[in-house]
Amino acid sequence: SPVAMGSGAFTLVLALALVAYVTPEERKLSGLWRNELDSLMEISAVRDNGDFQGKYLTRVTLAGGCARASPLRGAQQQPGEGGWPTFAFTVRWDKFSNATTAFAGQCFVDTGGKETLTTMWLLREAVGSLEEDWKATRVGRNVFTRKRIRKGKILPSLSPSCEDTSSPAP
Ligand code: BTN
């Protein structure tokens, strides 16, 4: 009947509105990203409160040696009306380094839908004494764009040589 059809259409519109309202902000940061150094990061889970985590695989290291995919944890600000969200995250370099990096940035989307994350970072390396503290922190900028390929086992598979040499055989 027309009444049933009407309520069906209403439910559909309601569902679409709900999806449109709920998903975009959660999706903005999740996924695979690459910066101008060719480093990769995969943000796997963005929670309702903005907390997120993932893995970071740097293409460069202070010592010049191999890197390993390292855990990242961060928080995304709830964006205001029409605004792009700011965020910050830390990477605790796992096993291959004692250093820690903090990134802070913002997500932008251009009219063509291309997403860009602009960030500034502080890289803190461990030094042996208070006298060396002055030289322990580097600062820089990284710009990330979304890398559109399957997520999941991408990070490990893109660094086979380093992952192979640094992790013990099972
Ligand atoms: C280390 O070498 O001790 C840790 C790795 C540091 C990698 C830095 S973090 C900032 C910059 N952006 C990257 O993608 N890699 C470098």
Side-chain angles (χ1 to χ4, degrees):
S1 77
V3 175
M5 263 175 63
S7 80
F10 176 73
T11 308
L12 185 66
V13 168
L14 196 70
L16 288 175
L18 203 66
V19 166
Y21 181 76
V22 170
T23 50
E25 313 309 350
E26 287 178 16
R27 278 213 195 139
K28 256 176 198 153
L29 277 185
S30 64
L32 193 59
W33 302 86
R34 177 171 51 193
N35 70 19
E36 74 280 18
L37 297 170
D38 244 6
S39 295
L40 294 169
M41 71 171 169
E42 184 176 13
I43 296 175
S44 52
V46 183
R47 291 171 26 182
D48 288 347
N49 67 0
D51 289 1
F52 61 87
Q53 50 190 298
K55 282 196 181 334
Y56 197 109
L57 180 60
T58 180
R59 196 51 85 178
V60 295
T61 59
L62 290 175
C66 280
R68 297 186 61 167
S70 301
L72 76 82
R73 303 173 65 84
Q76 180 181 7
Q77 184 60 278
Q78 308 301 135
E81 191 69 25
W84 304 115
T86 60
F87 59 85
F89 63 87
T90 59
V91 183
R92 180 179 60 76
W93 304 109
D94 203 9
K95 308 281 195 299
F96 71 95
S97 165
N98 288 328
T100 305
T101 303
F103 291 81
Q106 186 171 0
C107 176
F108 296 95
V109 185
D110 73 10
T111 49
K114 187 182 179 189
E115 298 158 292
T116 304
L117 308 179
T118 63
T119 68
M120 294 280 301
W121 51 259
L122 291 173
L123 167 57
R124 173 68 195 212
E125 74 174 300
V127 289
S129 69
L130 190 54
E131 284 63 45
E132 295 170 278
D133 186 68
W134 64 271
K135 62 174 180 179
T137 307
R138 289 166 173 80
V139 62
R141 182 169 188 262
N142 278 150
V143 178
F144 295 84
T145 51
R146 196 180 281 280
K147 192 168 156 63
R148 297 209 171 275
I149 47 176
R150 294 180 312 266
K151 52 181 277 194
K153 51 185 210 146
I154 296 301
L155 283 194
S157 68
L158 285 178
S159 66
S161 58
C162 287
E163 295 282 328
D164 286 353
T165 53
S166 57
S167 44

